[in-house]
Amino acid sequence: MSKKEAILDAALKLFTENGVRATSTKSIASEANTSEALIFKHYGTKDHLLETIIKKAYQTAVSETSLYLKGLSESAYISSMIELPIQLTRSNPDFWRMQYKIIALNPISSRYHDNFMRPCQLRLTECFKVLGYSNPELEAELLLVHIDGVWKYLAAHQPDIAKEKALVKLMKHKYKL
């Protein structure tokens, strides 16, 4: 692992455990076995370091979900979107725990998340329209509110797999999937 990657990993770990504000670049340097100067050389500021972590995680999430959601029928897309919070929080649990803690107060975090979810809203609206729902825009928004709440719940509480599956099963039942 390069020093640059070690810094990202250490920062993610400490941001997740302690929060962004409570984490100093000195503690990140210590965790990464490097110097603060190297952090500043690679990332400039702690905010830029945080943005790099967020950007990298969302790029990975886009790659994963693009394959996961590509070419699905309308019903299968909705079903897969219901499962998405589980997939995301399992694939990168530290990032989603950190994101849960900072999204409400961090405009960078919020912006990346909104950009990630925007194409899903458009596709869900189209799916609900094709499936004959009377108000597809609101159905899409309601499902996205649910999805947003579920990933936050999973990130914050880390329930067991049985509970995750039960939540998904119940939501799919509501949509008759």
Side-chain angles (χ1 to χ4, degrees), residues 38-108:
L38 195 57
I39 293 172
F40 294 123
K41 177 184 175 192
H42 287 302
Y43 301 103
T45 65
K46 185 168 77 168
D47 285 340
H48 189 257
L49 173 60
L50 174 63
E51 184 170 6
T52 302
I53 291 167
I54 293 169
K55 182 178 181 179
K56 183 179 172 187
Y58 275 109
Q59 286 172 339
T60 300
V62 165
S63 295
E64 290 174 0
T65 57
S66 293
L67 293 173
Y68 177 70
L69 298 171
K70 187 176 181 178
L72 298 175
S73 69
E74 288 77 13
S75 294
Y77 185 86
I78 294 167
S79 181
S80 294
M81 283 298 296
I82 291 169
E83 295 171 3
L84 185 63
I86 293 171
Q87 180 191 346
L88 291 174
T89 56
R90 282 186 187 167
S91 70
N92 195 349
D94 286 341
F95 170 72
W96 291 102
R97 276 194 297 279
M98 180 198 74
Q99 183 68 333
Y100 166 74
K101 291 178 180 181
I102 69 171
I103 195 167
L105 300 174
N106 188 295
I108 294 168

Side-chain angles (χ1 to χ4, degrees), residues 135-146:
N135 198 334
E137 293 85 9
L138 279 178
E139 288 289 350
E141 193 157 340
L142 181 61
L143 182 54
L144 288 173
V145 167
H146 166 79

